[in-house]
Structure formats: structure tokens, C-alpha cells
Amino acid sequence: MGDEPAMMPSRGQRPRPVGAGPVRGAGSHARHYAALDLGTNNCRLLIARPQGQGFAVVDAFSRIVRLGEGLAASGRLSDAAVDRTLAALKVCADKLKRRNVTLARSVATEACRRAVNGPEFIARALAETGIHLDIITAEEEARLAVLGCHALIEPGEGPALVFDIGGGSTEMVLVDTATPLPTVLDWHSAPWGVVSLTETAGGGEDQAGRLAAYARMREVVADSIAGFAPRLPRGLAGLRLLGTSGTVTTLGSVHLGLSHYDRSAVDGLIVPAAAMRRISGDLSRMSVAERATLPCIGSERADLVVAGCAILETIMDLWPAERLGIADRGIREGILRRLMESGA
């Protein structure tokens, strides 16, 4: 990625330390840095300090706010969604103040890019919480996600595909790991995430209806990435695929049979693609109530996880790797690396 720090893949299948890779000025342990990622579905904050060749997490916060709920139909952020999100941002603002953060960056993604009242929300967030949110482009979102997670790409030859399934969009990045500084070869942003796809193409009262909705979601996503497919190299052996999102971490948890989410077990996990397809197929046949009973899905993710499965399976069709790497890290970690690299 040109001016980005080198973060070469680690070997093996065990989880790696967050932020593994060299960081200049890592001796400034007293400095606290913060990264806030406000997506279409989640509000996530990470506060860390440089440590060794990476960073140590000092505090974190994550809440499902569904900022983009109803956006697909109305083109606006709803009052209820804004209120939920502002409540979460106020928690973040309190943490930033209590932790004496030296330098922070807060970003907003697809929901605020798309909503006609996105700028109005940004202004209100600043006035009520003191947090200034940058509405970043899809390209910067993709690059930050890669910067934060690509240390987990399996070693191998040829390019790898990294993807981030969000609430309102999905970013896919073709990465060359042959050079000391990783290089983005190509990228694509599809205007579908778990919230927007569920609201547009989801549904189904009985199993037949749910399967029809799942096929419809897969078709919608396939159409949105059709322009990217011809740009990808073909005939390569040993394809490598890495995903970062709530979808892949949730499905990784289901694959492991976890009774509750365990980041140390999921971050860096590598799962056979066939197993992920099998889980996706099973979930697509279940009702929302049935999915809600599953550990690591629950009521908060039960209605959205199937859209994530549809996006994931379509990506695996596009880049048919035999295994899928799972990262519980991404945009926030990418922001932190940039902040720490700046030495500010």
C-alpha cells in the first residue's frame, strides 16, 4: 500500500497479537490513541497505546446501533437510529475523556455516505458528543480494513483477496503480499451489506420463502460485483481469502461450536470454505427465531446474519479459495497503525 507500514503474514493458524508489525515511536507508552468506526450497523471504539512492535488495547467499546436501518427505503437516517447512535457516541466520548487520549480519529462509512441527512447527523454528533466524524470514501474504507487485518493472510504465492462485509456495503481488495510493503492491486465496493441487503431482498415466512429470498440476495450481490470479476486473475493455484466482519467472526464461532464469543479463538482462525458454505446453507433455511437460539448469533444478529451468508458465498464463488481466514480486526486497527506511524 505504498506509504503503509510493512505487515507481513505470520505463519501458522494460531491467532496473532493485535497490530502485529513494526511501529515507529513505539516507546511512547504514555500516549493513548483511539480509533472509532461508525458503520451502518455497529459503532466500535478502540483505545490503545504503543507496545513493542504493535500496540496494547487499553479500552474498547462495541454496540449494534443500526444507524442505516430503513435507509434503503427512505434515503435518510431515521430519528430513532440517530438517537441510538448518539447514545453510543456519548459512551465513546466519555471513554476518550477518561483515558486521556492523545490522538484520535473517528470515521463514518456507507450509511453516512448514502444518507441525504448524513452531514446533518455529523454536525449534530459533533455538537452533542464532541466527536468529529470523517465520512470516508469506500476506497479509504477498503484500505484501512486491509491495513488493519492483512497480517493474518496465509503465506503463499500470488495475490490474496481481502474483504469486509459491512452493514451498508462490502469492500473487496486484491492484495499483493510479495513485496515488503503490501500493495493494493485492485479493489471494489459493492453497495450491499447485511442491513441494506436484508431490507431490500430478505424475507420469507416459510422455508421455501426463505430459500427463495436467499437465492434473490445472492443474485443481487452477484450483479453488483459482476464488473469486478473480469479484473481478477484466473487459473491461480492456492488462492488465499481473508474476511473481516461480524459475519465471518460469527460464522467462525458457529463452526467452532462456541457457547459465547471468544475473540482469541476466532481472530486468525482458518476454516475450510466448504464448512462456511454448509453453515450458510443451514442458516438460510432457519427462521429468525431458530437462528436467535444459536450461541454467538442471538437476537441481535438473527435477522441480519443470512444476508451476510449470501454475500460471503457470492465472494467465495468469485474467489474460490479452499480455505477462509477470519479476522476480528480491521478499520479501527488500520486507523491506529496510521496514527501511531505519524508519531504525533
Side-chain angles (χ1 to χ4, degrees):
M1 297 176 68
D3 58 348
E4 305 293 8
M7 293 192 299
M8 296 306 291
S10 302
R11 294 188 175 275
Q13 297 186 23
R14 294 183 178 181
R16 288 65 153 181
V18 173
V23 177
R24 292 193 298 270
S28 303
H29 284 214
R31 291 180 180 270
H32 285 177
Y33 298 81
L36 190 154
D37 170 21
L38 178 60
T40 302
N41 197 43
N42 290 278
C43 175
R44 298 186 180 99
L45 172 71
L46 201 60
I47 302 175
R49 58 179 172 80
Q51 178 175 288
Q53 294 190 0
F55 54 81
V57 174
V58 173
D59 204 348
F61 173 79
S62 179
R63 179 180 294 177
I64 293 177
V65 295
R66 302 203 178 198
L67 178 61
E69 189 174 59
L71 176 62
S74 69
R76 297 180 59 84
L77 305 176
S78 72
D79 291 342
V82 166
D83 289 343
R84 288 194 302 267
T85 304
L86 288 173
L89 289 174
K90 287 173 183 176
V91 175
C92 294
D94 182 62
K95 287 181 176 290
L96 292 171
K97 183 177 179 180
R98 287 190 291 109
R99 293 295 184 178
N100 297 313
V101 170
T102 302
L103 189 63
R105 189 181 185 204
S106 303
V107 302
T109 55
E110 184 67 12
C112 290
R113 285 196 294 261
R114 189 180 299 183
V116 295
N117 59 337
E120 176 185 326
F121 164 73
I122 296 296
R124 184 177 169 190
L126 178 60
E128 295 189 19
T129 71
I131 293 175
H132 175 73
L133 290 158
D134 292 328
I135 302 178
I136 59 175
T137 65
E139 180 177 5
E140 184 174 6
E141 182 179 357
R143 288 179 176 273
L144 284 172
V146 170
L147 180 60
C149 76
H150 76 81
L152 298 182
I153 296 173
E154 284 192 271
E157 300 295 328
L161 189 69
V162 180
F163 65 90
D164 181 1
I165 300 173
S169 66
T170 295
E171 279 64 50
M172 291 163 284
V173 190
L174 190 67
V175 178
D176 180 6
T177 61
T179 55
L181 293 176
T183 304
V184 171
L185 301 174
D186 202 350
W187 70 281
H188 179 77
S189 180
W192 300 108
V194 296
V195 176
S196 56
L197 187 60
T198 299
E199 292 184 351
T200 302
E205 293 299 322
D206 55 14
Q207 188 174 105
R210 291 191 289 272
L211 289 175
Y214 190 66
R216 186 165 60 246
M217 288 190 284
R218 295 257 276 133
E219 183 177 353
V220 166
V221 177
D223 287 346
S224 72
I225 64 176
F228 185 49
R231 307 203 307 260
L232 294 175
R234 296 295 172 189
L236 300 178
L239 296 180
R240 294 172 293 159
L241 184 64
L242 177 68
T244 169
S245 70
T247 294
V248 294
T249 56
T250 297
L251 297 190
S253 300
V254 173
H255 172 72
L256 293 176
L258 300 180
S259 61
H260 62 279
Y261 185 71
D262 181 356
R263 182 185 187 279
S264 66
V266 173
D267 185 48
L269 179 68
I270 297 172
V271 180
M276 298 300 267
R277 287 188 184 274
R278 189 162 51 249
I279 293 168
S280 296
D282 290 344
L283 291 176
S284 71
R285 286 186 285 272
M286 294 181 184
S287 67
V288 172
E290 289 170 332
R291 295 193 295 266
T293 65
L294 298 177
C296 300
I297 293 181
S299 58
E300 282 195 323
R301 296 187 180 276
D303 59 334
L304 301 180
V305 68
V306 167
C309 292
I311 297 169
L312 173 61
E313 283 213 79
T314 308
I315 291 172
M316 291 193 295
D317 290 344
L318 179 73
W319 193 256
E322 293 184 359
R323 290 140 58 94
L324 170 67
I326 297 175
D328 184 357
R329 60 180 83 179
I331 292 174
R332 293 176 304 167
E333 289 79 5
I335 292 171
L336 285 173
R337 294 200 61 82
R338 281 188 176 174
L339 292 177
M340 292 180 186
E341 274 286 304
S342 73

